[in-house]
Amino acid sequence: MTATQLPSTSSSTALPSAPLGATSPQHPNRLPIPAIPAYEVLLQQQEESRGVFGRMLLNWRRRNGWTQYTACSWAEAIGEPKLLISYGNLSVIEQGKAGELRQRAFWQLWELNRRIVSGDWGRIGDAELRRKLEGATSLGDEAAPVWGPLEFWACYCGLRPVPPAFASTPAPLIGTRQAAVLSSR
């Protein structure tokens, strides 16, 4: 899909005839506007996009060594309800079955991400929880190293790709005893 050129008119309020976002001598630093798929195409890709977004969150959680309860436990430990994304909701999102997410979910994901980057853990008495948080990796990419609500939403809608670091699911970690049992079968 490419930008459509507007017809020229003699009106003094007419827009320039160059494609939208094109660079010009007056605006040499302006970046071209990326092509956005038609709304119908986005609707058709909606289920797949939600699945990709959910797998990204699952990979993010696993790379951080978190269970689906970690974020909820963190919020409860420091008394910050704005961090509280319920483990049930997170599980449904990770499965790609959440349906239409509310704005609040994207803001909660951003708050978690922001706190990981800033090291703003709050007052946590549980040493194991604190260790998990301190070793966490934030979610972001080259264009936006720390994803905010807009980046999470755009990925959820399929308008932004998953960062490469979170595109593949890491292998589950198992202990030597469990590995021996599985190998003997």
Side-chain angles (χ1 to χ4, degrees):
M1 179 180 221
T2 59
T4 305
Q5 197 167 0
L6 297 172
S8 353
T9 65
S10 60
S11 166
S12 62
T13 59
L15 295 172
S17 60
L20 293 175
T23 58
S24 69
Q26 296 85 9
H27 303 284
N29 296 328
R30 184 176 290 168
L31 298 173
I33 296 174
I36 297 176
Y39 184 67
E40 294 79 23
V41 173
L42 290 175
L43 286 177
Q44 291 170 355
Q45 296 172 351
Q46 183 172 292
E47 188 175 332
E48 180 184 348
S49 298
R50 290 175 180 176
V52 168
F53 180 78
R55 280 188 301 282
M56 175 193 70
L57 291 182
L58 175 66
N59 294 340
W60 182 38
R61 181 173 59 78
R62 286 183 176 167
R63 283 192 193 278
N64 286 332
W66 293 8
T67 68
Q68 67 188 66
Y69 305 102
T70 303
C72 194
S73 298
W74 180 13
E76 289 172 355
I78 63 173
E80 285 286 341
K82 63 184 171 187
L83 274 179
L84 190 60
I85 186 163
S86 75
Y87 56 84
N89 193 26
L90 184 59
S91 177
V92 172
I93 295 169
E94 288 176 351
Q95 294 171 29
K97 299 178 181 175
E100 204 60 44
L101 291 182
R102 295 179 184 213
Q103 280 183 2
R104 182 180 171 116
F106 303 112
W107 285 92
Q108 289 168 327
L109 290 168
W110 170 67
E111 183 66 15
L112 289 170
N113 209 29
R114 182 194 70 75
R115 285 176 177 257
I116 288 169
V117 171
S118 70
D120 180 10
W121 314 120
R123 296 176 55 113
I124 300 172
D126 184 349
E128 177 66 19
L129 177 59
R130 187 168 193 88
R131 183 190 60 73
K132 283 182 178 183
L133 297 175
E134 289 174 347
T137 301
S138 65
L139 209 151
D141 55 26
E142 283 187 26
V146 180
W147 275 18
L150 180 61
E151 289 81 15
F152 282 110
W153 174 81
C155 184
Y156 174 75
C157 293
L159 296 173
R160 184 180 199 103
V162 168
F166 302 100
S168 61
T169 305
L173 299 174
I174 60 173
T176 54
R177 181 179 291 173
Q178 190 177 7
V181 169
L182 292 172
S183 295
S184 68
R185 292 183 190 165

